[in-house]
Amino acid sequence: MSAQTDRYENAVARYLEAWNASGPEALEKAVAAAWTPDGSYTDPLADVAGHEQIAALITAAQGQFPGFAFRLSGAVDGHHDTARFSWELVSAADGSAPVAGFDVITLDGEGRIKTVLGFLDRVPAGA
């Protein structure tokens, strides 16, 4: 595995840690580890920037899908300061994954996320 591949995979691992963080302190720490202070997140349902807004978005998603966790689905692919990956939102109770998508991230020189562009491939009706 190359150093670049490690960089992308580490960034995605920190990203997923943030989405799966439990409790406000853990979430704040995980968001700070994953994103630059002015980092942003944009998908069809949200457009936020900064650690506070990103943490609020994650908290809202966790509230909408209690008992679910984000999991990597497939390999992380990247070049230069950009990586892409697919993910699923998986139920701990039954293993179902009603939500899935893929994200494209850009990284700073330290491997922290500057931007996330998210795409939703599967979303349940009414979500």
Side-chain angles (χ1 to χ4, degrees), residues 29-122:
K29 184 177 178 180
V31 168
W35 272 272
T36 61
D38 61 344
S40 65
Y41 177 92
T42 303
D43 72 15
L45 305 174
D47 187 11
V48 298
H51 291 176
E52 188 175 306
Q53 289 184 7
I54 292 167
L57 175 67
I58 291 170
T59 298
Q62 290 174 344
Q64 187 174 3
F65 294 96
F68 284 76
F70 284 89
R71 301 284 184 251
L72 185 64
S73 174
V76 176
D77 182 30
H79 62 81
H80 297 87
D81 290 331
T82 305
R84 66 179 179 166
F85 57 96
S86 295
W87 52 266
E88 292 181 317
L89 187 58
V90 180
S91 168
D94 64 11
S96 65
V99 183
F102 80 91
D103 292 347
V104 177
I105 60 175
T106 58
L107 305 176
D108 71 359
E110 297 175 4
R112 289 175 45 195
I113 298 170
K114 294 190 303 187
T115 62
V116 176
L117 297 176
F119 297 84
L120 302 173
D121 297 326
R122 183 172 61 240

Side-chain angles (χ1 to χ4, degrees), residues 16-38:
L16 293 173
E17 283 178 31
W19 279 97
N20 292 323
S22 173
E25 288 181 28
L27 177 56
E28 181 180 334
K29 184 177 178 180
V31 168
W35 272 272
T36 61
D38 61 344

